[in-house]
Amino acid sequence: MTKTVITSDKAPAAIGPYSQAIKAGNTVYMSGQIPLDPKTMELVEGIEAQVVQVFENLKSVAEAAGGSFKDIVKLNIFLTDLGNFATVNEIMGKYFEQPYPARAAIGVAALPRGSQVEMDAILVIE
């Protein structure tokens, strides 16, 4: 099986020793995205703006892999405040339609750069 590195200049550059995504066969493993504006590499402010930015970052990487949100089979959401879960659900409803991906939402103590949200995903592209 061949592994291919996926990168998008429309998503934040990796800030450590990892790739934005790796495609192995027809499966794409996307690294976690935090709400960095890819042009400035600065964190956007406010939970709604952060959730939207994370989805936009994930969308850019999915598209660079030749896929879309319709190809996401698993989405992991990490929140520093699970009280923001309803906001995530509301915004997620604007990006996804049925059948929805499998999903986990996990409360964490902290995220990189003081982010309130991080998400990663797995896509299967046919």
Side-chain angles (χ1 to χ4, degrees):
M1 177 180 340
T2 304
K3 291 192 318 184
T4 304
V5 175
I6 305 297
T7 59
S8 171
D9 59 359
K10 295 178 182 175
I15 54 175
Y18 63 90
S19 300
Q20 288 176 333
I22 295 289
K23 185 174 184 182
N26 65 342
T27 304
V28 179
Y29 300 89
M30 294 201 302
S31 292
Q33 286 286 335
I34 60 173
L36 293 176
D37 179 323
K39 294 177 183 153
T40 65
M41 291 300 287
E42 296 293 325
L43 203 67
V44 299
E45 294 191 26
I47 187 61
E48 293 89 359
Q50 287 198 2
V51 173
V52 167
Q53 187 66 59
V54 169
F55 279 127
E56 289 297 319
N57 293 346
L58 287 173
K59 181 179 170 187
S60 295
V61 177
E63 289 172 351
S68 71
F69 277 5
K70 290 181 181 183
D71 301 308
I72 293 179
V73 296
K74 178 71 164 112
L75 179 68
N76 292 312
I77 303 168
F78 305 92
L79 292 164
T80 57
D81 180 354
L82 286 174
N84 290 322
F85 193 61
T87 300
V88 171
N89 275 340
E90 180 182 334
I91 296 169
M92 184 175 170
K94 297 174 184 176
Y95 284 91
F96 291 87
E97 53 189 48
Q98 291 190 0
Y100 299 117
R103 180 179 79 177
I106 303 154
V108 297
L111 290 167
R113 298 205 180 175
S115 172
Q116 297 179 67
V117 60
E118 180 173 354
M119 296 182 211
D120 67 16
I122 299 171
L123 291 79
V124 176
I125 301 172
E126 301 197 30

